[in-house]
Amino acid sequence: MKAGNLEIKIFDTRQEMGENAAAAIADKIRELQKSQEFVNIIFASAPSQNEFLASLLTEKGIVWQKINAFHMDEYIGLPGDAPQAFGNFLKVKLFDKVPLNSVWYLDGNATDIEEECKRYAALLEEYPTDIVCLGIGENGHLAFNDPHVAFFDDPLIVKQVELDNACRQQQVNDGCFATFADVPERALTLTIPVLFKAKYAFCIVPGEKKADAIYHTVEEDIKEEFPSTILRNHPNAILFIDKASSGRLKEISSYSQA
């Protein structure tokens, strides 16, 4: 099925969803590695990515030594060894398990946050993104571009943002923090335009709590109030969802067939 340009793939379980997303992304990595020296990939950090990341590690034929890895957001002010830190999440789930050519971490504890934004922006310009692996927040955010700071024409590449309450509550819902008060109020995020510039976008979104977000992604007008709707304009984007997250897509037949 398609909604705009966005291809939609629905699976019975989140495990099937993760395995199929990993297979599709691995196919694209192998394809790109035939024609270019390095592949540059941005990864999302969230429990929604667990099955995909675990499955990606089992894929054969990926030359990990020819991949440069980035992540798309980071809390400001968490201890450097905090398991909730997104760099640490990906370090444990993927980055420490494969021999990547390079891994570039956002530093949420940088002395000068604005300089850190510029540093990471320069790296993203030096290594143009081939593949972005995304999630979608309960409030429709991409990375930490919550609706109040999700600008489709954002002039920045990386920026500091104040997280909205829905976003912070999601971190509790996901089991990442014990209480709302524990969730940092500020974060660094890659902006919508830099995520959108990736040649290929793969979006992995399981779970009942994401059903509203998936409904809005597919059904709402494309606007900043619902940041994930911009995916419908991407020329090469695939949305992987499970039965739980697709629960509000009642009239599946109403979408054009892929």
Side-chain angles (χ1 to χ4, degrees), residues 34-99:
K34 291 177 181 177
S35 60
Q36 58 193 66
E37 185 176 3
F38 294 101
V39 176
N40 305 317
I41 307 177
I42 301 171
F43 291 94
S45 313
S48 64
Q49 308 299 297
N50 284 343
E51 292 80 9
F52 150 62
L53 292 170
S55 297
L56 188 63
L57 289 170
T58 70
E59 287 287 334
K60 308 297 184 185
I62 296 174
V63 184
W64 292 101
Q65 295 90 335
K66 294 187 176 182
I67 292 176
N68 299 309
F70 295 80
H71 59 117
M72 61 182 59
D73 44 15
E74 186 57 273
Y75 295 112
I76 292 175
L78 276 183
D81 60 351
Q84 299 96 333
F86 291 147
N88 290 338
F89 174 91
L90 283 168
K91 195 172 188 289
V92 170
K93 297 288 185 179
L94 181 67
F95 295 164
D96 273 358
K97 294 181 182 294
V98 289

Side-chain angles (χ1 to χ4, degrees), residues 42-246:
I42 301 171
F43 291 94
S45 313
S48 64
Q49 308 299 297
N50 284 343
E51 292 80 9
F52 150 62
L53 292 170
S55 297
L56 188 63
L57 289 170
T58 70
E59 287 287 334
K60 308 297 184 185
I62 296 174
V63 184
W64 292 101
Q65 295 90 335
K66 294 187 176 182
I67 292 176
N68 299 309
F70 295 80
H71 59 117
M72 61 182 59
D73 44 15
E74 186 57 273
Y75 295 112
I76 292 175
L78 276 183
D81 60 351
Q84 299 96 333
F86 291 147
N88 290 338
F89 174 91
L90 283 168
K91 195 172 188 289
V92 170
K93 297 288 185 179
L94 181 67
F95 295 164
D96 273 358
K97 294 181 182 294
V98 289
L100 294 157
N101 180 64
S102 66
V103 177
W104 300 102
Y105 291 99
L106 270 166
D107 183 3
N109 290 305
T111 303
D112 189 326
I113 290 296
E114 292 306 314
E115 284 301 314
E116 176 62 8
C117 291
K118 292 176 184 177
R119 180 191 73 86
Y120 213 71
L123 288 167
L124 290 162
E125 290 187 312
E126 183 179 352
Y127 301 99
T129 307
D130 295 300
I131 296 170
V132 61
C133 304
L134 297 146
I136 295 175
E138 292 178 22
N139 65 357
H141 72 208
L142 300 176
F144 268 145
N145 295 283
D146 291 335
H148 70 292
V149 291
F151 307 129
F152 291 167
D153 61 351
D154 204 315
L156 299 174
I157 295 174
V158 185
K159 66 182 181 181
Q160 177 181 177
V161 294
E162 299 284 336
L163 303 179
D164 74 13
N165 287 344
C167 174
R168 293 177 67 204
Q169 183 60 47
Q170 179 186 323
Q171 312 312 314
V172 180
N173 296 345
D174 283 347
C176 299
F177 293 88
T179 71
F180 180 85
D182 294 331
V183 183
E185 296 180 1
R186 297 183 301 141
L188 298 172
T189 187
L190 277 59
T191 61
I192 296 283
V194 75
L195 296 172
F196 198 82
K197 279 176 66 176
K199 295 175 188 173
Y200 302 94
F202 298 89
C203 195
I204 300 126
V205 191
E208 185 179 3
K209 290 186 175 69
K210 300 295 181 69
D212 285 346
I214 292 301
Y215 174 81
H216 295 314
T217 299
V218 174
E219 292 282 357
E220 292 287 350
D221 291 339
I222 296 172
K223 54 186 176 181
E224 293 166 345
E225 182 183 353
F226 301 100
S228 56
T229 56
I230 194 65
L231 294 170
R232 304 210 309 266
N233 282 346
H234 195 285
N236 296 294
I238 304 176
L239 174 63
F240 294 84
I241 53 181
D242 64 0
K243 274 192 172 179
S245 58
S246 69

